[in-house]
CSV table of all heavy atoms in Angstrom, one decimal:
chain,number,residue,atom,x,y,z
A,184,PRO,N,11.6,2.0,0.4
A,184,PRO,CA,11.8,1.0,1.5
A,184,PRO,C,11.0,-0.3,1.4
A,184,PRO,O,11.4,-1.2,2.1
A,184,PRO,CB,11.1,1.8,2.7
A,184,PRO,CG,10.1,2.7,2.0
A,184,PRO,CD,10.6,3.0,0.7
A,185,ARG,N,10.1,-0.5,0.5
A,185,ARG,CA,9.3,-1.8,0.5
A,185,ARG,C,9.8,-2.8,-0.2
A,185,ARG,O,9.4,-4.0,-0.3
A,185,ARG,CB,7.8,-1.5,0.4
A,185,ARG,CG,7.1,-0.6,1.4
A,185,ARG,CD,5.7,-0.4,1.1
A,185,ARG,NE,4.9,-1.6,1.1
A,185,ARG,CZ,4.1,-2.0,2.1
A,185,ARG,NH1,4.0,-1.2,3.2
A,185,ARG,NH2,3.6,-3.1,2.0
A,186,LEU,N,10.9,-2.5,-1.0
A,186,LEU,CA,11.7,-3.5,-1.8
A,186,LEU,C,10.8,-4.3,-2.9
A,186,LEU,O,11.1,-5.4,-3.1
A,186,LEU,CB,12.4,-4.5,-0.9
A,186,LEU,CG,13.4,-3.9,0.0
A,186,LEU,CD1,13.8,-4.9,1.2
A,186,LEU,CD2,14.7,-3.4,-0.7
A,187,GLN,N,9.9,-3.5,-3.4
A,187,GLN,CA,9.1,-4.2,-4.5
A,187,GLN,C,10.0,-4.6,-5.8
A,187,GLN,O,9.5,-5.5,-6.4
A,187,GLN,CB,8.0,-3.3,-5.1
A,187,GLN,CG,7.0,-2.8,-4.0
A,187,GLN,CD,7.3,-1.5,-3.4
A,187,GLN,OE1,8.5,-1.1,-3.2
A,187,GLN,NE2,6.2,-0.7,-3.0
A,188,GLY,N,11.0,-3.9,-6.0
A,188,GLY,CA,11.9,-4.3,-7.1
A,188,GLY,C,12.5,-5.7,-6.8
A,188,GLY,O,12.4,-6.7,-7.5
A,189,MET,N,13.1,-5.8,-5.6
A,189,MET,CA,13.8,-7.0,-5.2
A,189,MET,C,12.8,-8.1,-5.0
A,189,MET,O,13.0,-9.3,-5.4
A,189,MET,CB,14.6,-6.8,-3.9
A,189,MET,CG,15.1,-8.2,-3.3
A,189,MET,SD,16.7,-8.0,-2.5
A,189,MET,CE,16.3,-6.9,-1.1
A,190,LYS,N,11.6,-7.9,-4.3
A,190,LYS,CA,10.7,-8.9,-3.9
A,190,LYS,C,9.8,-9.3,-5.1
A,190,LYS,O,9.3,-10.6,-5.2
A,190,LYS,CB,9.8,-8.5,-2.7
A,190,LYS,CG,10.6,-8.3,-1.5
A,190,LYS,CD,9.7,-7.9,-0.3
A,190,LYS,CE,10.4,-7.9,1.0
A,190,LYS,NZ,9.4,-7.5,2.1
A,191,LEU,N,9.3,-8.4,-5.9
A,191,LEU,CA,8.2,-8.6,-6.9
A,191,LEU,C,8.8,-8.8,-8.4
A,191,LEU,O,8.5,-9.6,-9.0
A,191,LEU,CB,7.0,-7.7,-6.7
A,191,LEU,CG,6.5,-7.5,-5.3
A,191,LEU,CD1,5.3,-6.5,-5.3
A,191,LEU,CD2,6.0,-8.9,-4.8
A,192,THR,N,9.5,-7.7,-8.8
A,192,THR,CA,10.0,-7.7,-10.1
A,192,THR,C,11.0,-8.8,-10.4
A,192,THR,O,10.8,-9.5,-11.4
A,192,THR,CB,10.6,-6.3,-10.5
A,192,THR,OG1,9.6,-5.3,-10.4
A,192,THR,CG2,11.1,-6.2,-11.9
A,193,ALA,N,12.0,-9.0,-9.5
A,193,ALA,CA,12.8,-10.1,-9.7
A,193,ALA,C,12.1,-11.4,-9.7
A,193,ALA,O,12.5,-12.3,-10.4
A,193,ALA,CB,13.9,-10.0,-8.5
A,194,TYR,N,11.1,-11.5,-8.8
A,194,TYR,CA,10.3,-12.8,-8.8
A,194,TYR,C,9.6,-13.0,-10.2
A,194,TYR,O,9.7,-14.1,-10.7
A,194,TYR,CB,9.3,-12.5,-7.7
A,194,TYR,CG,8.2,-13.6,-7.5
A,194,TYR,CD1,8.5,-14.8,-6.9
A,194,TYR,CD2,6.9,-13.4,-7.8
A,194,TYR,CE1,7.6,-15.8,-6.7
A,194,TYR,CE2,5.8,-14.3,-7.5
A,194,TYR,CZ,6.2,-15.5,-7.0
A,194,TYR,OH,5.2,-16.4,-6.7
A,195,GLU,N,9.0,-11.9,-10.8
A,195,GLU,CA,8.4,-12.1,-12.1
A,195,GLU,C,9.4,-12.5,-13.1
A,195,GLU,O,9.1,-13.3,-14.0
A,195,GLU,CB,7.5,-10.8,-12.4
A,195,GLU,CG,6.4,-10.6,-11.6
A,195,GLU,CD,5.4,-9.5,-12.3
A,195,GLU,OE1,5.4,-9.5,-13.5
A,195,GLU,OE2,4.8,-8.8,-11.5
A,196,LEU,N,10.5,-11.8,-13.1
A,196,LEU,CA,11.6,-12.1,-14.2
A,196,LEU,C,12.1,-13.5,-14.0
A,196,LEU,O,12.4,-14.2,-15.0
A,196,LEU,CB,12.7,-11.0,-14.1
A,196,LEU,CG,12.2,-9.6,-14.5
A,196,LEU,CD1,13.4,-8.6,-14.2
A,196,LEU,CD2,11.8,-9.5,-16.0
A,197,LEU,N,12.2,-13.8,-12.7
A,197,LEU,CA,12.7,-15.2,-12.5
A,197,LEU,C,11.7,-16.3,-13.1
A,197,LEU,O,12.1,-17.3,-13.7
A,197,LEU,CB,13.0,-15.4,-11.0
A,197,LEU,CG,13.5,-16.8,-10.5
A,197,LEU,CD1,15.0,-16.8,-10.7
A,197,LEU,CD2,13.2,-17.0,-9.0
A,198,ASN,N,10.4,-16.0,-12.7
A,198,ASN,CA,9.4,-16.9,-13.3
A,198,ASN,C,9.4,-17.0,-14.7
A,198,ASN,O,9.0,-18.1,-15.3
A,198,ASN,CB,8.1,-16.5,-12.7
A,198,ASN,CG,7.9,-16.9,-11.2
A,198,ASN,OD1,8.6,-17.8,-10.7
A,198,ASN,ND2,7.1,-16.1,-10.5
A,199,GLU,N,9.7,-15.9,-15.4
A,199,GLU,CA,9.7,-15.9,-16.9
A,199,GLU,C,10.9,-16.3,-17.5
A,199,GLU,O,11.1,-16.6,-18.7
A,199,GLU,CB,9.5,-14.4,-17.4
A,199,GLU,CG,8.1,-13.8,-17.1
A,199,GLU,CD,7.0,-14.5,-17.8
A,199,GLU,OE1,7.2,-15.0,-18.9
A,199,GLU,OE2,5.8,-14.6,-17.3
A,200,GLY,N,12.0,-16.5,-16.6
A,200,GLY,CA,13.3,-16.9,-17.2
A,200,GLY,C,14.1,-15.8,-17.7
A,200,GLY,O,15.1,-16.0,-18.4
A,201,ILE,N,13.8,-14.5,-17.5
A,201,ILE,CA,14.5,-13.4,-18.2
A,201,ILE,C,15.7,-13.1,-17.3
A,201,ILE,O,15.5,-12.8,-16.1
A,201,ILE,CB,13.6,-12.1,-18.3
A,201,ILE,CG1,12.3,-12.4,-19.2
A,201,ILE,CG2,14.3,-10.9,-18.8
A,201,ILE,CD1,11.3,-11.3,-19.2
A,202,PRO,N,16.9,-13.0,-17.8
A,202,PRO,CA,18.1,-12.8,-17.0
A,202,PRO,C,18.1,-11.3,-16.4
A,202,PRO,O,17.6,-10.4,-17.1
A,202,PRO,CB,19.3,-12.8,-18.1
A,202,PRO,CG,18.7,-13.6,-19.2
A,202,PRO,CD,17.2,-13.3,-19.2
A,203,HIS,N,18.5,-11.3,-15.1
A,203,HIS,CA,18.4,-10.1,-14.4
A,203,HIS,C,19.3,-10.1,-13.2
A,203,HIS,O,19.8,-11.1,-12.8
A,203,HIS,CB,16.9,-9.8,-14.0
A,203,HIS,CG,16.5,-10.8,-13.0
A,203,HIS,ND1,16.1,-12.1,-13.3
A,203,HIS,CD2,16.4,-10.8,-11.6
A,203,HIS,CE1,15.8,-12.7,-12.3
A,203,HIS,NE2,16.0,-12.1,-11.2
A,204,ALA,N,19.4,-8.9,-12.5
A,204,ALA,CA,20.1,-8.8,-11.3
A,204,ALA,C,19.5,-7.7,-10.5
A,204,ALA,O,19.1,-6.6,-11.1
A,204,ALA,CB,21.7,-8.5,-11.4
A,205,ILE,N,19.4,-7.9,-9.2
A,205,ILE,CA,19.0,-6.9,-8.3
A,205,ILE,C,20.1,-6.0,-8.0
A,205,ILE,O,21.2,-6.4,-7.7
A,205,ILE,CB,18.4,-7.6,-7.1
A,205,ILE,CG1,17.2,-8.5,-7.3
A,205,ILE,CG2,18.0,-6.5,-6.0
A,205,ILE,CD1,17.0,-9.6,-6.3
Side-chain angles (χ1 to χ4, degrees):
Chain A
R185 294 180 67 101
L186 298 168
Q187 297 96 328
M189 171 143 66
K190 291 181 172 180
L191 305 180
T192 296
Y194 176 74
E195 289 195 36
L196 293 172
L197 183 77
N198 287 335
E199 294 292 330
I201 300 176
H203 65 281
I205 300 159

